[in-house]
Amino acid sequence: MTPKSAPSRPRSRPEPGPRVGFVSLGCPKALVDSEQILTRLSAEGYAIAPTYDGADVVVVNTCGFIDAAVEESLSAIGEALAENGRVIVTGCLGAKEGGAFVRAAHPKVLAVTGPHAASEVMAAVREHLPKPHDPFVDLLPPPNSKIGIKLTPKHYAYLKISEGCNHRCTFCIIPSLRGDLVSRPIGEVMIEAENLLKAGVREILVVSQDTSAYGVDVRYRTGFWRGRPLKTRMTELSAALATLAAEYGAWVRLHYVYPYPHVDETIALMASDGGPGLLPYLDVPFQHASPRILKLMKRPANAENTLARIKAWRAICPEITIRSTFIAGFPGETESEFAQLLAFLEEAQLDRVGCFAYSPVDGAAANALPDPVPQELREERQARFMQTQAAISAARLARKVGTTLQVLVDSVDGDVAVARSSADAPEIDGVVRIAGAKSLRIGEFATVTVTGADAHDLVAARASH
């Protein structure tokens, strides 16, 4: 008689690999860097620890753009050292003085790298936290490997199309931290976009240091996607992304666009009804309106040309939302030049606006300019600027009461949902609060009727069918 076979012993699950904690600071471009590092860590079998206590080493991705960001980054590094003790630093602040700036403040860090440096970070992690080889795990592809780990909600994601910048704005040190423009191959960008949409992403946010300059460094080289030639240029990329997003019923939103002439071609591609495709939304950092200040900033354009361009954009796409950022209190800015900026704001009637009081970032050429504006006056001008814009925004949003909008749901709490329209980028613009929204789900589109507005946000109800 054949003996009854004994039950097989269940294979024990492998012990989780060494655990890496992660702190991500800064802009959406830095967030994409963090996602790439986390994806590499996961692919190599490292576990991600949610707390300092549970981590064997902590990676801090820093920002170094303005003084407040530098202070936040140094504080985060200090906290990680105090709570854990084993810290690897990456990001823009890590590039400052070749890493010496961070080491001077925190000499106990294990390693320092600059931004967009996933390979260097991985080398540092391997050096300070070797991972034992697991033959059952190491040969497996990482889960969801086509899109990697994302730090955004599942329904939207950032798509970085280039690294670095060719401009030398006097208030900015980004080129010294991230280098000159390096455009990603257009086929690679499109494949990533399609993989994101296949994974359920419903809004792709295109980011870079200068989206309009995409392809300049490679002389607009022709690449390929789906077997067809496609030029490495903003217009062709926008058209391809618009077509792809429409196939999946999704949105594409453009950020960090300079007002070059070819931007007009892109605006003609925008879906004026806020439906699937390229959104009628443009994020253009104008920075100022005074020709003299713009020249001191080494920024393109001037107020008269900019106003004409805005008028032309609205003629092409009347529903376009224009977002911009400005600097108040730039060195040498007179009261008359600040008044010129406020007058520009009144005439331009921009939809979404942010304003920074000038920050004398260490290493910025503008710090050497004569007649610096006192900090108190810088902040006072910033407040006056935002007060002026608040009135403009309130009036523009009030005109939307009674209209019907397509919105993307970000959260649902009981009977109230928080969503965004085509006019609202996540985290930086307003929201649409929807009553009677219990049946809505995060990441789905809904049609709503606007019932109220304030200076920043809209209130709406589900549209009756």
Side-chain angles (χ1 to χ4, degrees):
M1 177 184 287
T2 305
K4 191 180 293 186
S5 58
S8 60
R9 179 180 298 175
R11 183 194 297 176
S12 60
R13 296 174 67 90
E15 290 295 318
R19 299 174 68 84
V20 179
F22 206 99
V23 178
S24 184
L25 304 171
C27 65
K29 281 91 70 180
L31 185 76
V32 173
D33 289 350
S34 295
E35 291 172 341
Q36 292 171 350
I37 294 168
L38 286 165
T39 298
R40 294 274 295 270
L41 287 167
S42 177
E44 293 197 16
Y46 289 94
I48 308 304
T51 64
Y52 290 122
D53 290 345
D56 299 302
V57 70
V58 176
V59 177
V60 180
N61 190 5
T62 60
C63 178
F65 183 49
I66 59 176
D67 287 348
V70 171
E71 291 173 12
E72 181 186 24
S73 293
L74 289 177
S75 175
I77 296 167
E79 180 180 292
L81 283 168
E83 297 292 333
N84 182 276
R86 292 168 52 80
V87 177
I88 293 168
V89 176
T90 187
C92 286
L93 190 62
K96 193 170 182 178
E97 300 174 13
F101 181 84
V102 168
R103 290 190 181 279
H106 295 295
K108 292 184 179 180
V109 296
L110 300 176
V112 181
T113 81
H116 196 54
S119 295
E120 291 89 336
V121 172
M122 290 306 301
V125 170
R126 293 188 206 105
E127 177 185 351
H128 296 284
L129 187 61
K131 187 185 73 65
H133 175 62
D134 185 335
F136 294 106
V137 175
D138 289 354
L139 297 180
L140 295 175
N144 212 11
S145 58
K146 285 190 174 181
I147 68 166
I149 292 174
K150 293 296 169 187
L151 298 177
T152 51
K154 292 180 180 179
H155 59 284
Y156 69 81
Y158 294 102
L159 177 66
K160 185 158 66 169
I161 63 171
S162 64
E163 189 61 60
C165 183
N166 288 342
H167 294 286
R168 294 297 183 265
C169 302
T170 58
F171 56 82
C172 180
I173 60 172
I174 291 297
S176 68
L177 302 178
R178 289 186 171 263
D180 289 336
L181 175 73
V182 179
S183 300
R184 292 178 62 194
I186 194 163
E188 180 183 297
V189 172
M190 292 304 302
I191 289 170
E192 181 179 350
E194 187 162 21
N195 286 337
L196 289 169
L197 294 169
K198 286 178 178 177
V201 168
R202 288 294 164 260
E203 179 179 7
I204 290 177
L205 300 110
V206 176
V207 296
S208 67
Q209 299 298 336
D210 180 2
T211 297
S212 306
Y214 178 64
V216 166
D217 56 310
V218 294
R219 299 183 180 181
Y220 306 118
R221 177 188 303 147
T222 298
F224 289 87
W225 179 60
R226 290 181 172 176
R228 297 193 298 271
L230 191 61
K231 188 178 288 188
T232 307
R233 199 170 79 110
M234 176 184 168
T235 304
E236 285 76 3
L237 175 65
S238 298
L241 287 173
T243 300
L244 180 63
E247 290 177 16
Y248 287 86
W251 286 350
V252 174
R253 189 184 300 274
L254 299 177
H255 286 276
Y256 309 107
V257 176
Y258 275 68
Y260 300 142
H262 66 265
V263 172
D264 296 10
E265 302 168 6
T266 301
I267 291 176
L269 302 170
M270 293 178 173
S272 61
D273 61 355
L278 187 65
L279 291 177
Y281 179 101
L282 209 57
D283 173 19
V284 189
F286 293 127
Q287 305 297 9
H288 213 280
S290 160
R292 189 182 77 89
I293 294 297
L294 286 168
K295 187 175 181 180
L296 290 174
M297 289 179 168
K298 292 191 176 178
R299 295 288 295 183
N302 59 55
E304 291 77 15
N305 289 346
T306 298
L307 288 168
R309 298 295 300 289
I310 291 171
K311 185 176 180 180
W313 293 341
R314 286 175 171 154
I316 298 169
C317 181
E319 301 302 315
I320 191 169
T321 294
I322 302 175
R323 147 170 270 282
S324 191
T325 51
F326 295 84
I327 297 174
F330 188 80
E333 181 190 68
T334 64
E335 188 61 38
S336 154
E337 287 166 328
F338 178 68
Q340 190 174 1
L341 177 56
L342 295 183
F344 170 86
L345 206 57
E346 293 282 8
E347 189 167 354
Q349 291 287 299
L350 302 176
D351 300 276
R352 302 295 194 188
V353 170
C355 180
F356 299 93
Y358 175 74
S359 175
V361 180
D362 188 26
N367 297 339
L369 292 173
D371 304 317
V373 179
Q375 182 173 348
E376 185 177 348
L377 183 54
R378 279 182 259 150
E379 293 174 355
E380 186 266 341
R381 286 179 180 173
Q382 177 196 29
R384 285 164 57 195
F385 179 101
M386 292 309 297
Q387 184 177 19
T388 300
Q389 176 58 29
I392 294 169
S393 178
R396 293 186 70 81
L397 290 177
R399 293 203 287 270
K400 294 189 178 185
V401 174
T403 62
T404 300
L405 300 175
Q406 282 287 110
V407 297
L408 180 59
V409 179
D410 280 339
S411 66
V412 180
D413 184 5
D415 201 37
V416 177
V418 175
R420 291 177 294 104
S421 70
S422 64
D424 308 305
E427 299 187 0
I428 57 173
D429 292 329
V431 298
V432 181
R433 301 186 190 282
I434 309 166
K438 191 176 295 184
S439 62
L440 290 178
R441 296 291 178 265
I442 294 173
E444 75 173 0
F445 288 101
T447 303
V448 300
T449 300
V450 180
T451 58
D454 59 23
H456 304 287
D457 304 322
L458 297 175
V459 178
R462 298 287 300 276
S464 54
H465 297 285

